[in-house]
Amino acid sequence: MGVTLDLSRAGAVTPVRPNLSGLTRPALAAALVDAGVASPEKARMRAVQAWRWIHHYGVTDFGRMTDIAKETRAALAEHFRLDRPEVVERQVSRDGTRKWLIRMAPGVEVETVYIPDVGRAGALCISSQVGCTLNCTFCHTGTQALVRNLTAAEIVAQVQVARDDLEEWPSPKEDRRLSNIVFMGMGEPLYNLDAVADAIDIIADNEGIAISRRRITVSTSGVIPEFQALGQRTQAMLAISLHATNDALRDVLVPLNRKYPIAELMAAVRAFPGLSNARRATFEYVMLKGVNDSPAEARALVQLLKAIPAKINLIPFNPWPGTDYQCSDWGTIEAFAAILNRAGFASPIRTPRGRDILAACGQLKSESEKLRASARRSTALPPDA
Ligand code: SAH
Ligand code: SF4
């Protein structure tokens, strides 16, 4: 009985063809050999060809790989996929910010946000997980349970979707609109480092999407044990979500601080591979009214970062339904920034972007889920219709 059942279940599962967009160069060559699409001798050459079509031209159809023999293209299509995930919703803000709700699989949706005039030309804010296991008290994503880690293909797909919409294929070397990538969407990238590192290898490759590692920033709430691996494997830029200058407060705002307190965090940043005045760490500091925004805290921040090549990014708090926090007054934020500037820190205030389409930091996903839910309610359909 049990055996019959097992067999029938095995028969019902169609093996999923892997999406080639998520394979690094060596993995791509190996996959072609494993699938019998290329001989071990020809695998590297085939991988170079396929790579260019996928990551330089952005093709989603094996049929367009015109320098690859027809039979080989057919074999590729039989074993692999190249399609994009579904874009469920696309919004453009008055300020030019674009947001896509992307469905990776049923129930696995992420939001990706493009912000023009940030970095060299424009930055794409991408997600590494659906939901988050950490519970930073000011973050809306933190109120959602982790659904799952994204795969490398799903991380790369966010860049591809943005490139499709910005009409940036073949991948331009100059005059590009998408010039920077920040892992500041949903999730804690250092809890999904394997996929994040593979995705960075793919995105940074010079014969493809070609976004330099120096223009890729990974933001973490402070998962210290992964810092060395992050630096060594990705050579990406580091951003730390600091938000407080003493452990008592940071314990509350970023509960991971109880495990990795500020002194240890600072030591880990100092030891981050490749940190220098030309490659500074960014410290993110969310401005919460009456919580962490006093002049004394600005001075404490200066003391804390004195010996570190650092930039500070002040983020006005973006409120969400149900939060007790409020954004600091503009004058308070400016006074805070002035203290940092006087001490020699570049400390731009991150102007909230895309608030009209709920694309600002900490407003991602659940907010639009709520809106969709209320839209469903207003059409008076049963919830699962
Ligand atoms: N998990 C990672 C990366 C994603 S969060 C991290 O915590 O660093 C990206 C940034 O947005 C973090 O600095 C986070 O603290 C900040 N953030 C989260 N919620 C916010 C909110 N409601 N308003 C402003 N910034 C917020
Ligand atoms: Fe997770 Fe970052 Fe939000 Fe904290 S701030 S809950 S680590 S996404």
Side-chain angles (χ1 to χ4, degrees):
M1 235 333 237
V3 172
T4 318
L5 238 163
D6 283 345
L7 280 176
S8 67
R9 283 180 60 192
V13 178
T14 338
V16 181
R17 288 172 299 148
N19 194 311
L20 286 187
S21 303
L23 300 185
T24 59
R25 267 180 193 274
L28 176 59
L32 297 182
V33 176
D34 286 349
V37 174
S39 63
E41 303 75 49
K42 289 218 169 138
R44 263 202 73 214
M45 191 253 296
R46 286 272 174 266
V48 167
Q49 287 174 314
W51 185 274
R52 218 173 144 66
W53 286 113
I54 301 167
H55 298 295
H56 180 68
Y57 289 103
V59 306
T60 54
D61 175 2
F62 291 104
R64 286 192 51 200
M65 301 184 169
T66 45
D67 61 352
I68 298 179
K70 256 199 176 141
E71 311 78 74
T72 313
R73 283 187 251 157
L76 281 168
E78 194 183 314
H79 290 95
F80 304 107
R81 292 168 34 219
L82 261 191
D83 52 314
R84 302 274 193 266
E86 183 191 354
V87 177
V88 183
E89 206 175 316
R90 169 186 184 272
Q91 285 173 282
V92 181
S93 154
R94 280 190 292 275
D95 67 17
T97 299
R98 298 185 188 200
K99 184 175 79 168
W100 303 271
L101 177 65
I102 305 174
R103 182 174 296 145
M104 303 296 182
V108 182
E109 293 180 358
V110 299
E111 284 186 344
T112 303
V113 180
Y114 169 76
I115 313 145
D117 313 314
V118 168
R120 189 167 148 228
L124 189 70
C125 178
I126 61 180
S127 300
S128 55
Q129 299 182 309
V130 182
C132 189
T133 53
L134 300 171
N135 303 102
C136 303
T137 44
F138 56 88
C139 173
H140 205 180
T141 308
T143 63
Q144 298 164 31
L146 178 73
V147 176
R148 72 159 165 79
N149 279 342
L150 293 177
T151 63
E154 291 165 341
I155 296 171
V156 173
Q158 297 173 62
V159 184
Q160 293 172 321
V161 163
R163 272 268 169 91
D164 291 344
D165 199 47
L166 295 166
E167 299 182 6
E168 286 209 313
W169 301 114
S171 184
K173 287 267 189 272
E174 305 292 330
D175 290 337
R176 44 171 64 163
R177 297 164 82 185
L178 201 179
S179 59
N180 294 60
I181 303 250
V182 292
F183 282 82
M184 292 182 187
M186 295 165 64
E188 170 49 59
L190 297 198
Y191 281 157
N192 188 16
L193 185 55
D194 280 338
V196 166
D198 279 357
I200 291 176
D201 280 348
I202 295 166
I203 294 163
D205 190 287
N206 225 10
E207 281 157 49
I209 295 168
I211 293 179
S212 134
R213 291 170 192 270
R214 301 187 50 157
R215 296 191 200 283
I216 300 177
T217 302
V218 176
S219 173
T220 176
S221 54
V223 185
I224 296 175
E226 300 296 338
F227 278 25
Q228 285 297 314
L230 172 71
Q232 278 157 8
R233 288 182 60 183
T234 70
Q235 289 106 54
M237 305 299 283
L238 177 70
I240 303 287
S241 293
L242 186 62
H243 309 314
T245 54
N246 63 76
D247 285 325
L249 180 58
R250 195 163 189 271
D251 281 352
V252 174
L253 299 180
V254 184
L256 187 67
N257 194 68
R258 293 182 211 142
K259 206 162 166 191
Y260 308 122
I262 292 176
E264 287 174 32
L265 179 60
M266 292 303 149
V269 174
R270 267 187 228 105
F272 188 72
L275 205 67
S276 70
N277 277 335
R279 291 175 61 91
R280 291 166 193 261
T282 300
F283 286 85
E284 294 157 284
Y285 195 95
V286 63
M287 298 300 294
L288 301 168
K289 189 176 194 160
V291 174
N292 65 353
D293 60 355
S294 69
E297 277 157 313
R299 288 190 290 271
L301 188 55
V302 169
Q303 285 308 311
L304 203 56
L305 304 185
K306 223 169 36 185
I308 300 179
K311 293 185 273 199
I312 301 164
N313 205 333
L314 297 180
I315 315 175
F317 172 64
N318 288 307
W320 37 272
T323 181
D324 290 334
Y325 293 112
Q326 289 176 301
C327 183
S328 310
D329 300 327
W330 199 250
T332 310
I333 300 178
E334 282 185 334
F336 198 96
I339 295 172
L340 305 176
N341 288 335
R342 271 201 299 278
F345 285 102
S347 53
I349 303 166
R350 193 191 289 172
T351 10
R353 303 291 298 270
R355 268 190 176 170
D356 55 330
I357 57 166
L358 303 164
C361 293
Q363 291 186 312
L364 294 189
K365 169 138 180 185
S366 37
E367 186 61 4
S368 41
E369 259 182 0
K370 266 213 169 88
L371 287 183
R372 281 208 309 280
S374 70
R376 270 202 306 270
R377 275 197 299 278
S378 68
T379 54
L381 291 173
D384 55 351

